[in-house]
Amino acid sequence: MLNVDEVKKAISEDLKLAENEAQLSEFWKKCLGKGGTIQGLMNGIKQVAKEEKKAYGQTVNEIKNWAQALYDEKKEEIEKQALLKKYEKETIDVTLPVKMRPMGNLHPLTAVKHEMMNVFAGMGFEIFEGPEIEDDDHNFTRLNVLKDHPSRDMQDTFWLTEDLLLRTHTSPGQIRVMDAQKPPIKVLVPGKVFRSDSDATHSPMFSQMEGLVVDKHITLCDLQGMLDEFVKNMFSDAAKTRLRPSYFPFTEPSVEVDVSCFKCGGKGCSLCKGTGWIEVLGGGVVNNKVLENCGIDSSEYSGLAFGIGIERIAMLKYGINHMGKLFENDIDFLKQFKA
Ligand code: DAH
């Protein structure tokens, strides 16, 4: 007959040897799995006398349940230990000093661009961004830049095909907005522009911000009022603007806008080359031809437009004397512009 104590003892000894999940699973196979010890005992029932079969079966079953319970208990224990080990490994020392990462800052051009957009957003301007690859029609023709205008020259403009080019200014944004929207219009078009030009104050790629307002009764006074507000916000409360006559094909009249020198207050210094004034942008009243080119009735509506060089504003504001500095990614230079 079956020696229960001996069987249980052997099983217990075996289980004691299992120290991790892999060994425990080996134990389960050997004891409780198919072809394992318990199954072997079950099979032994064939040799047991008929009248003892029932008692034998019950005993084996009892051993099986006992072994299973023992196994379950051990499994729980091993899992608990594994978890504790994992927690131990994952412990973090909250008293360790933090590895400090230096805080970055916006590129001065980006910061100035944001500042400019904020000032104009305060006056109700919306932002529009046009494509950097333009066609002749948007970049020149509909802006009233005639076929023989020097800015169309191969030497000045990066032509891609006979018709396509890298936009030379953000002014084509005016055409795109007037094509898409009916007046009243009040938009800003910031973006990169490209010209075949390179020296201390010019770069083949630079950025502009175009402004366009179209409504009934818009005049040059509105332009001066807005730009006055702009320079006060960007440079100093004491800054004033001055308009000088100029020429752009897309505006009539056209003006060059100067700001009173914010370094010397207008007395004359090296920044303003002794004149007391610094040129900051171009603008004017939108040429009727341009309005008509966009299907806007110039007897009912008028507009103002301006184009500001963002690098120029950044250079003036921060006293940077070489435009290349803004594109070199010299980290020591850029670090100085922490807000
Ligand atoms: N597009 C001109 C340039 O790149 C700047 C400009 C002048 C824009 C007068 C305007 C404007 O909208 O009215 O030099």
Side-chain angles (χ1 to χ4, degrees):
M1 189 48 187
L2 196 55
N3 186 336
V4 176
D5 287 344
E6 232 165 66
V7 173
K8 282 189 175 177
K9 195 172 161 220
I11 290 177
S12 297
E13 297 283 305
D14 256 0
L15 188 60
K16 255 189 223 157
L17 296 176
E19 280 173 353
N20 55 38
E21 288 188 41
Q23 289 167 353
L24 189 66
S25 141
E26 275 310 305
F27 163 82
W28 193 89
K29 265 195 234 157
K30 191 175 161 198
C31 173
L32 287 147
K34 242 191 201 169
T37 316
I38 306 277
Q39 177 91 60
L41 294 176
M42 276 298 188
N43 295 344
I45 202 164
K46 288 178 214 143
Q47 276 89 51
V48 176
K50 207 177 175 192
E51 59 282 9
E52 285 175 15
K53 277 193 198 297
K54 191 177 170 198
Y56 181 88
Q58 275 173 352
T59 307
V60 174
N61 244 334
E62 188 252 318
I63 295 174
K64 185 183 169 194
N65 292 338
W66 168 86
Q68 180 69 46
L70 217 59
Y71 165 84
D72 289 345
E73 203 180 299
K74 182 85 178 201
K75 186 165 186 248
E76 204 174 295
E77 173 66 21
I78 284 178
E79 280 172 358
K80 199 169 136 195
Q81 289 304 330
L83 202 61
L84 284 177
K85 248 193 211 157
K86 187 170 168 235
Y87 287 159
E88 211 169 288
K89 245 213 246 150
E90 286 174 1
T91 324
I92 43 168
D93 181 354
V94 291
T95 65
L96 269 180
V98 183
K99 264 195 203 150
M100 292 297 278
R101 287 198 196 183
M103 271 277 274
N105 53 279
L106 287 180
H107 190 282
L109 261 186
T110 311
V112 166
K113 182 170 123 181
H114 287 179
E115 204 179 332
M116 289 166 68
M117 291 201 291
N118 274 339
V119 173
F120 285 112
M123 295 183 227
F125 280 79
E126 287 176 77
I127 309 291
F128 170 83
E129 280 182 275
E132 287 171 9
I133 294 179
E134 269 296 2
D135 53 27
D136 180 302
D137 196 50
H138 289 85
N139 196 83
F140 294 127
T141 308
R142 286 165 79 199
L143 283 165
N144 195 38
V145 181
L146 300 177
K147 282 279 176 227
D148 53 359
H149 194 278
S151 66
R152 285 171 171 265
D153 204 277
M154 289 287 283
Q155 266 83 50
D156 291 314
T157 298
F158 293 111
W159 289 93
L160 303 174
T161 67
E162 230 169 70
D163 184 46
L164 294 177
L165 49 95
L166 295 180
R167 68 175 172 198
T168 59
H169 50 181
T170 43
S171 304
Q174 294 188 30
I175 304 293
R176 293 194 176 269
V177 170
M178 286 190 278
D179 275 350
Q181 249 170 272
K182 286 197 163 40
I185 290 170
K186 204 171 188 183
V187 287
L188 269 191
V189 188
K192 293 194 183 93
V193 301
F194 307 84
R195 283 182 208 175
S196 184
D197 213 350
S198 186
D199 61 33
T201 52
H202 295 90
S203 148
M205 187 277 295
F206 61 106
S207 0
Q208 285 188 336
M209 193 170 292
E210 191 83 9
L212 173 72
V213 180
V214 183
D215 204 346
K216 290 176 179 161
H217 317 300
I218 295 292
T219 70
L220 206 55
C221 288
D222 297 303
L223 178 69
Q224 182 154 26
M226 283 175 189
L227 296 178
D228 230 36
E229 187 64 23
F230 168 69
V231 298
K232 281 193 169 53
N233 274 282
M234 290 303 291
F235 298 112
S236 111
D237 276 343
K240 287 193 291 252
T241 52
R242 168 177 93 167
L243 306 187
R244 275 182 296 112
S246 184
Y247 172 76
F248 298 104
F250 27 91
T251 41
E252 179 58 39
S254 301
V255 292
E256 209 83 63
V257 182
D258 296 341
V259 57
S260 55
C261 183
F262 37 83
K263 194 171 170 196
C264 65
K267 286 189 213 86
C269 66
S270 60
L271 183 66
C272 59
K273 300 189 185 94
T275 64
W277 294 93
I278 300 168
E279 183 192 322
V280 280
L281 58 105
V285 171
V286 180
N287 194 318
N288 283 346
K289 284 188 196 154
V290 176
L291 293 178
E292 299 292 343
N293 284 343
C294 298
I296 294 177
D297 183 352
S298 61
S299 64
E300 195 181 352
Y301 291 103
S302 55
L304 61 85
F306 54 86
I308 312 176
I310 304 181
E311 284 79 3
R312 177 152 175 80
I313 301 291
M315 288 168 79
L316 287 172
K317 199 171 156 83
Y318 295 123
I320 302 166
N321 53 14
H322 202 293
M323 197 188 271
K325 285 256 164 252
L326 290 170
F327 304 116
E328 276 166 8
N329 283 335
D330 169 355
I331 203 78
D332 288 329
F333 168 76
L334 295 175
K335 268 199 295 209
Q336 301 173 57
F337 298 93
K338 282 215 163 101

